[in-house]
Amino acid sequence: QVQLVESGGGLVQPGGSLRLSCAASGLSLDYKAIGWFRQAPGKEREGVSCINNNDGSTYYADSVKGRFTISTNNAQNTVYLQMNSLKPEDTAVYYCYARRSLLSGFWGQGTQVTVSS
């Protein structure tokens, strides 16, 4: 079974930084992409960033460009999201997501990020 386990969330002041980690197990090497969504209270889940497994290309939501960086380790079993210059608007539960195919994907359990002074 595929498992995605997030860690690294917490409470941080505006302007601070956090690095989220997503440890993947049971994920085939031919998966399409892996990345992060987030969901704030009362809002729909939105895509934050992802990295394509085929060519390494990355995507960032406009709201996080220049502040967040997505990366993977050498074994490609962990994906990171380095979050700098955090804003209160970044407060949300962050979910790791891996897409295996057009019809199949996997979600982590989520990790809470709270940006507040």
Side-chain angles (χ1 to χ4, degrees):
Q1 296 82 16
V2 173
Q3 287 188 314
L4 304 175
V5 181
E6 303 97 330
S7 63
L11 175 64
V12 65
Q13 293 185 344
S17 298
L18 287 172
R19 190 178 77 160
L20 305 183
S21 299
C22 173
S25 62
L27 188 63
S28 175
L29 294 178
D30 64 351
Y31 72 94
K32 304 304 180 185
I34 191 167
W36 298 89
F37 285 71
R38 67 185 182 186
Q39 187 167 23
K43 297 184 178 180
E44 295 185 352
R45 192 170 297 184
E46 64 175 347
V48 177
S49 181
C50 69
I51 184 166
N52 190 297
N53 190 46
N54 294 326
D55 59 12
S57 62
T58 57
Y59 160 84
Y60 297 94
D62 288 342
S63 59
V64 306
K65 286 181 179 177
R67 300 188 297 120
F68 292 10
T69 303
I70 192 169
S71 63
T72 58
N73 68 356
N74 292 335
Q76 295 182 319
N77 59 1
T78 305
V79 61
Y80 306 96
L81 186 67
Q82 178 66 47
M83 306 186 296
N84 298 326
S85 301
L86 283 163
K87 305 175 181 179
E89 306 93 274
D90 297 316
T91 296
V93 177
Y94 284 70
Y95 297 90
C96 185
Y97 174 74
R99 176 167 294 283
R100 183 174 64 183
S101 70
L102 183 64
L103 301 177
S104 179
F106 306 93
W107 292 95
Q109 83 287 351
T111 185
Q112 176 71 48
V113 172
T114 302
V115 185
S116 176
S117 59

